[in-house]
Amino acid sequence: MKLKILVGSMTHTADHVAQAIQMECADLASPIEVQWMDGLDIHVFDAEKATDAIFLMCISTYGAGDVPDNAQMLYQSLDAQARYLGHVRYGVIALGDSMGHAETFGFGGKRFDERLQDLGAQRIGDICCLDSSDGTLPDAKGAQWCRAWLKAALP
Ligand SMILES: Cc1cc2nc3c(=O)[nH]c(=O)nc-3n(C[C@H](O)[C@H](O)[C@H](O)COP(=O)(O)O)c2cc1C
């Protein structure tokens, strides 16, 4: 089973998490592709690309609970080009800062999750929230969560 990690990020923390997953989870999924969301739209979820694949949205939060700039086009296309995504299985890693932004903690990932669910996509497991203010290393914590998530998600 292929794992496609789609990265929404401004200052690379989410990318570091994705790269850690690529290294730490290679025995559980193959290949593991890491792709920044820049230039993507809803077609990234087309049925032929989702065959034998599971998606992981790894995404931070900016503004007042917005998705990062490089994720805007994909996020907006989930509205503008809305279509049924019942064939899509996905997980979410939502990065944020609960101390600095308590009201909108992890909203970038949560917004994607809501929209994907509206379109019929199937989330596997709970959202993994990585908090930059809790003193843990997001890449280590994300990779550890992903190992357990993959074991539950894979056939
Ligand atoms: C200008 C700015 C706005 C932010 N807004 C939010 C927010 O609304 N909610 C939240 O949970 N985190 C917010 N954050 C925190 C980031 O999402 C967090 O630091 C994250 O780890 C950054 O990941 P990245 O380096 O992959 O972009 C904000 C950070 C900055 C610098």
Side-chain angles (χ1 to χ4, degrees), residues 7-16 36 58-66 68 95-98 100-108 130-132 138:
V7 175
S9 176
M10 297 281 255
T11 54
H12 291 262
T13 317
D15 187 46
H16 295 154
W36 280 64
C58 186
I59 180 164
S60 62
T61 309
Y62 275 85
D66 290 331
L95 289 88
D97 171 5
S98 70
H101 304 273
E103 307 278 302
T104 56
F105 176 56
F107 269 31
L130 298 179
D131 187 352
S132 62

